[in-house]
Amino acid sequence: MSNAILFLTNAGSAVANETDKRSFSLEVSKPIHSAYPSGAVPLDRYGSGYNTYMGSHPNLEIDLKRREISARLDPKERSKLGQFMTPSTVASFMASLFQQWPKEVRLLDPGAGIGSLTEAYFEQFLRRAPDGASVTVTAYEIDPTLLGYLRGHLDSLAKRASVPGRAFSSKIDPRDFIAEGTFALGLGAKGRFTHALLNPPYKKINTGSPHRKLLSSVGIETVNLYSAFLALAVALTEEGGEIVAIVPRSFCNGTYFRPFRTWLLERVAIHHIHVFESRRTTFRDDNVLQENVILRLGRGQTQGPVIVSSSNGPTFADYSERRVPFDEIVNPSDMERFIRVPVKESQESAFPFTGSLREVGINVSTGPVVDFRLREHWLREPRSGAVPLLYAHHFVGGELSWPREHKKPNALALNEDTRRWLMPRGFYCVTRRFSAKEERRRVVAYVVEPARLSSDFVGFENHLNVFHVNKSGLPAEIAYGLAVFLNSTAVDQFFRTFSGHTQVNASDLRALKYPSMATLGSLGEWAMKNRGATQEQIDEAVARHGG
């Protein structure tokens, strides 16, 4: 078979595709890395993976070994360490993204597992590095169960590298990567690695924990192991070096990750972001539903347009990509430094609304009632001298359903201890902070009508977001207008450009663009006359008001 990559049109003819946006299926035997702007190599006709070499025996063997070992690991220990091992198709795609192949490569693989990522990089190194090149791998792995497999695997790579013009060596460090990385940085270590390739663990870092203190000591403020590993990998990579990582998308937005985003964007250029459109497939062997992205970052490099690519799952069979100006990824005026991922060209550029909540005089806040702090004031049923306490489960089928039989209370006693956490009765627009898995939209909004409440005050529990005006209700038509707007498909698509998880924070809602107050009022009047409108009718109404 020919060594050329063939791009097949619907008619079956082979054409070279030079456009910035590409979507294809192809027949291929050997990759030509310059044929695609990202440097990645497409799927072969046998469906064995994105990089045509990943179907070779070593990769298949390590994939089988990964599944076998994963099944043996103690679930509690895996949860403690935040372990999710990389499928070979994903590892090969990640390794194919590297663009720089110097004669001396120093590769960092933190949280190496059994060596899937190093294996994938090794395959690329053999074919793409210049004659006389060498690679030295530093692999961190703390799990004693995996260390034996990792040693054996890296030793086998050294033997396979014993060919003219190539050299491979490795060092395995069985210590805590955060402890060792921060120690090295504290001693002034810089530029230890030319490349970093990582699938870091996913687990929250508690405030006051040893890891949190170590990270803070070197100027890294973050709340999860995955972002800590990524930050340390960046910090230990030399200027001009490359970092490729697969991480949860949750760092792209939200208040908790803002210090990390600021730190990261000051040190790297984002060159490539790959999104998996299905949350269920990337780590399906480990039953992981977290939405992940693959990043290619350049340490201290000049920022240019960003390649944004997507595929439904880890086979990359439906891979497509396009180039996006960086200011569409990170808005220069956005103080939150949200990282948006507009996979489709129409997602952000076609959004017709440009206003902010501040401009229309509306606030959005997390519900002020943290229920366990007021446990002694809980009431199962409303009564005289009590106020409604609204939870996410009180909103069903598009409307408020209160009171409701549930293990949580329906009301709070009204007294000096509870009054400060309440809002006056009125019209409010609310959304859940966590969207249910079965819901098609990330943002689902409801209207609270004062006629449905039995008191002059109302409590909104902490798992709700509440739209209000200075902690008081909204005009009725504005509350309904907001709900219709937020429930539109246009908002859902725009929201997904910067939010990759089911949590909907008040800061995310502030980051949305909104219609004017007059448009919201007009939408609200329409909604009050068209209760029970279908999704199609809602989308048509929002489109009319946006035009």
Side-chain angles (χ1 to χ4, degrees), residues 351-362:
F351 194 69
F353 304 104
T354 59
S356 67
L357 281 181
R358 180 178 298 179
E359 290 170 349
V360 297
I362 296 174

Side-chain angles (χ1 to χ4, degrees), residues 142-158:
I142 200 171
D143 188 339
T145 306
L146 300 178
L147 283 171
Y149 295 102
L150 179 61
R151 284 194 185 94
H153 189 224
L154 296 188
D155 287 346
S156 72
L157 296 184

Side-chain angles (χ1 to χ4, degrees), residues 93-216:
F93 173 76
M94 292 170 64
S96 76
L97 295 182
F98 285 107
Q99 299 294 297
Q100 298 174 177
W101 297 93
K103 282 210 168 184
E104 294 184 7
V105 174
R106 303 184 305 278
L107 175 68
L108 171 65
D109 183 356
I114 60 173
S116 299
L117 289 173
T118 294
E119 160 80 26
Y121 185 89
F122 177 79
E123 290 290 334
Q124 294 291 326
F125 169 77
L126 288 181
R127 291 165 175 80
R128 299 174 67 183
D131 288 341
S134 66
V135 57
T136 301
V137 177
T138 300
Y140 282 85
E141 180 50 59
I142 200 171
D143 188 339
T145 306
L146 300 178
L147 283 171
Y149 295 102
L150 179 61
R151 284 194 185 94
H153 189 224
L154 296 188
D155 287 346
S156 72
L157 296 184
K159 294 176 182 177
R160 290 171 56 202
S162 58
V163 295
R166 296 291 186 275
F168 177 94
S169 61
S170 63
K171 171 190 173 184
I172 297 175
D173 195 324
R175 294 173 293 183
D176 185 318
F177 176 61
I178 291 180
E180 294 305 305
T182 53
F183 179 75
L185 292 173
L187 293 179
K190 292 182 180 179
R192 291 181 59 183
F193 303 101
T194 60
H195 298 68
L197 182 59
L198 62 156
N199 171 15
Y202 176 83
K203 188 174 179 62
K204 289 182 179 179
I205 303 175
N206 294 327
T207 302
S209 68
H211 279 156
R212 191 73 172 266
K213 292 176 181 177
L214 286 170
L215 292 162
S216 295

Side-chain angles (χ1 to χ4, degrees), residues 1-6 26-33 35 41-42 44 51-53 127:
M1 184 180 290
S2 167
N3 287 342
I5 291 183
L6 305 182
L26 34 111
E27 293 190 359
V28 60
S29 64
K30 187 173 182 180
I32 300 175
H33 298 277
V41 185
D44 71 7
N51 182 318
T52 58
Y53 287 108
R127 291 165 175 80

